[in-house]
Amino acid sequence: MDITILGIESSCDDTSCAVVRGTTLLSNVIASQEVHRKWGGVVPELASRAHEQNIVPVVDKALGDAGITVDDIDAIAFTRGPGLLGSLLVGLSFAKGLALSRNIPLIECNHLMGHIMVHFIDEPGVETVHPSFPFITLLVSGGHSLIVLVKDHLDMEILGGTTDDAAGEAFDKCAKVMGLPYPGGPVIDKLAAEGDPKAFRFAKPSVSQFDYSFSGLKTSFLYFLRDKVAEDPDFIERNKADLCASLQQTIIDILMSKLIKAVKATGVTEVAIAGGVSANSGLRDAVTREGEKRGWRVFLPKKSYTTDNAAMIAVEGYFKYRKEEFASLDITPVSRVTQLK
Ligand code: KG4
Ligand code: ZN
């Protein structure tokens, strides 16, 4: 029987635990923290406290759903970073305690690599086609917008990143300006379906090579609305769907232009997307359409694996276990990372 890994993810506002046997997912439990909604964003101190409350029941449920006990686990994988230090500490401390008490290896995982790892998750009884190496991943989340060249499971090179805000942040901040709830990405996605993506035009940045920038778009959106609302206080309410559709289209155009550039420059035509924003229906359509036009083989993650989850961490842990990349018990969390390893 292949080895069994328990994965723990607590980098932001989701407390999650998953069990994999090899790359086959046996359970994946996610407790999302509702407490942040009324503040319009994640409040770090509240996040750590909620993780503390959630971690034991979430791990218990993951073991139960997988039909195993703690005796069946061969190693514990946890997210070391990037993320909120207080949140990471909760998952890390729990993982350390469990590894120490069971005398089993501890495996540190990189949250960003984890997002890409969703493309290797297998489900029991389901035939899944995985990308072959090398492949390009557009990794877009609330904290990151990266173009990554994936050469092997644990060998990844960042080709481009964001110079300021991430794509998810652009969705969330613009949603806030329109008075929409947090997180704004899924809300904009839904409203955009009813709107005209060509109704309004917003600034697109000019940044070098494969890098992104979203702060200009956010500012242009803010000033545009400020002027319109000065003329007509109901402007946002009256044009909500068109605003969402136009904003979403602008973000997608920005993301796609650099992705296409990276594919052209590398000649790699296996193309995947990952991270919270990869749930966006407009982006999924755009990548699929571009793939058909340009002869790419496109990999879209299952929607339930796009936002933060421990399945991705458990799978990353599996590949690290195979290479015996184990962490020491004095390991500490990291809020930022510059490399994928
Ligand atoms: O990967 P994730 O769960 O957390 C980070 O690692 O940041 O991503 C969360 C981000 C949020 O900014 C959220 O608004 C965005 O993903 N998001 C979406 C959609 N679903 C989640 N953005 C656009 N469309 C969606 N359907
Ligand atoms: Zn994430």
Side-chain angles (χ1 to χ4, degrees):
M1 190 161 62
D2 214 339
I3 56 150
T4 304
I5 308 275
L6 182 95
I8 292 174
E9 154 62 35
S10 70
S11 64
C12 191
D13 59 340
D14 294 297
T15 319
S16 182
C17 179
V19 177
V20 291
R21 183 157 292 145
T23 52
T24 303
L25 187 64
L26 301 185
S27 67
N28 185 33
V29 177
I30 305 170
S32 298
Q33 304 176 358
E34 294 302 318
V35 64
H36 307 286
R37 258 178 209 277
K38 69 173 172 190
W39 303 103
V42 178
V43 184
E45 181 54 33
L46 296 179
S48 328
R49 273 189 244 164
H51 282 304
E52 281 178 351
Q53 284 168 355
N54 292 341
I55 189 100
V56 172
V58 164
V59 172
D60 256 350
K61 183 156 177 19
L63 290 171
D65 287 359
I68 64 165
T69 71
V70 77
D71 297 332
D72 301 313
I73 301 167
D74 295 300
I76 320 274
F78 70 96
T79 304
R80 184 183 184 200
L84 301 170
L85 281 178
S87 291
L88 291 163
L89 253 180
V90 178
L92 174 147
S93 308
F94 187 90
K96 273 187 192 179
L98 198 55
L100 186 64
S101 68
R102 310 303 303 172
N103 195 24
I104 52 177
L106 185 64
I107 303 168
E108 68 166 281
C109 290
N110 178 311
H111 180 82
L112 302 175
M113 286 175 84
H115 273 299
I116 296 172
M117 290 288 162
V118 300
H119 289 288
F120 301 112
I121 296 175
D122 289 305
E123 291 177 352
V126 181
E127 270 295 312
T128 308
V129 182
H130 300 301
S132 47
F133 301 113
F135 65 94
I136 297 261
T137 304
L138 172 67
L139 169 48
V140 270
S141 70
H144 296 85
S145 302
L146 300 176
I147 295 183
V148 180
L149 179 63
V150 186
K151 300 172 195 167
D152 204 343
H153 293 113
L154 300 175
D155 184 5
M156 304 186 184
E157 185 190 342
I158 298 176
L159 300 181
T162 178
T163 54
D164 41 57
D165 291 352
E169 238 173 322
F171 272 108
D172 296 340
K173 288 181 177 170
C174 292
K176 199 169 181 178
V177 173
M178 287 188 279
L180 298 174
Y182 176 86
V187 185
I188 290 181
D189 191 354
K190 206 163 162 211
L191 288 166
E194 311 293 318
D196 173 7
K198 293 201 175 88
F200 305 108
R201 292 176 72 85
F202 304 110
K204 287 191 191 143
S206 143
V207 259
S208 68
Q209 272 301 68
F210 310 121
D211 285 338
Y212 288 115
S213 162
F214 286 100
S215 67
L217 169 63
K218 179 190 66 191
T219 313
S220 128
F221 190 71
L222 180 71
Y223 288 167
F224 171 82
L225 285 187
R226 193 188 56 186
D227 293 347
K228 292 288 184 188
V229 169
E231 292 163 16
D232 168 12
D234 294 330
F235 179 80
I236 295 177
E237 204 44 54
R238 248 199 276 277
N239 295 281
K240 211 169 247 178
D242 284 348
L243 284 168
C244 288
S246 304
L247 175 72
Q248 177 170 296
Q249 192 56 52
T250 310
I251 295 175
I252 293 169
D253 289 348
I254 295 170
L255 291 173
M256 289 306 297
S257 70
K258 294 301 175 91
L259 179 61
I260 293 166
K261 197 171 171 185
V263 172
K264 276 190 188 155
T266 56
V268 172
T269 53
E270 299 268 309
V271 179
I273 57 173
V277 179
S278 71
N280 185 268
S281 35
L283 178 62
R284 294 169 85 92
D285 289 348
V287 180
T288 306
R289 231 178 308 114
E290 220 51 59
E292 279 163 10
K293 196 167 101 192
R294 295 171 190 272
W296 304 348
R297 208 157 72 114
V298 167
F299 296 86
L300 306 177
K302 220 173 141 175
K303 284 209 181 168
S304 54
Y305 301 148
T306 55
T307 45
D308 291 348
N309 66 84
M312 65 192 204
I313 299 304
V315 170
E316 180 180 339
Y318 168 72
F319 289 114
K320 289 188 168 166
Y321 184 99
R322 285 206 322 200
K323 294 188 116 186
E324 297 187 16
E325 287 188 17
F326 300 135
S328 80
L329 282 169
D330 58 8
I331 194 161
T332 50
V334 287
S335 59
R336 287 171 179 275
V337 295
T338 50
Q339 282 179 326
L340 298 182
K341 60 179 184 121

